[in-house]
Every structure is written in C-alpha cells, then in structure tokens.
Amino acid sequence: MNEPNISVTAMHRICLKAGAKRVSDAASKELAETLEKIGLKIAKDALDYTIHSGRKTIKAEDIEIAAKKIINNNRTI
C-alpha cells in the first residue's frame, strides 16, 4: 500500500490515548494503513446502501450501518 492518507501523527496520538507509553513510527504508520483499509471498506458498503436507497449522497446513517456490519462481522476473530 502507498503512503496512508491518514496522518501518522494522529495515529500516534490514538495509541497514546489508548494508554501506550511509547509508539514507534512503524506502528503509527501500520495503524494508519489498517484504518484506511477499514475506512475504505466502510465507505464502499455505505455507498451500496446509498445506491440501494435511490440516493446519490452518502448519509451518516449509511456509514453507521456499514460500520456496525464491519464491526459485528469481525467480532468472531
């Protein structure tokens, strides 16, 4: 994957918020890449819901539904 679009600095802060004392640059970059993949999957699913509803604009509720689906499908891991 190319350089993530999500700020690596923001990922560093998220890790610190989670309780980490120290975070490597590689870990921050990996989190950014992973969250970007998940975000893209959520956006694609939300777009499917949008099109199915006969709309052209993705709404917050489409994102919510798609995110819940992704989260619930990965709970068995």
Side-chain angles (χ1 to χ4, degrees):
M1 185 172 188
N2 295 341
E3 198 63 30
N5 291 319
I6 300 172
S7 162
V8 174
T9 304
M11 299 302 99
H12 185 85
R13 284 193 302 266
I14 287 173
C15 290
L16 293 175
K17 268 187 175 179
K21 300 294 181 207
R22 298 174 66 191
V23 183
S24 71
D25 289 341
S28 294
K29 184 177 178 183
E30 184 64 32
L31 181 58
E33 290 173 358
T34 300
L35 289 179
E36 190 167 320
K37 289 176 190 174
I38 293 168
L40 184 58
K41 174 68 174 139
I42 290 170
K44 285 180 178 180
D45 285 358
L47 180 58
D48 289 343
Y49 299 137
T50 301
I51 292 169
H52 181 75
S53 297
R55 293 181 278 110
K56 294 181 181 179
T57 303
I58 296 175
K59 294 184 174 185
E61 62 196 41
D62 300 319
I63 297 292
E64 275 184 55
I65 293 166
K68 284 180 184 176
K69 177 184 167 198
I70 299 289
I71 291 167
N72 288 334
N73 284 343
N74 289 317
R75 282 213 173 132
T76 58
I77 295 175

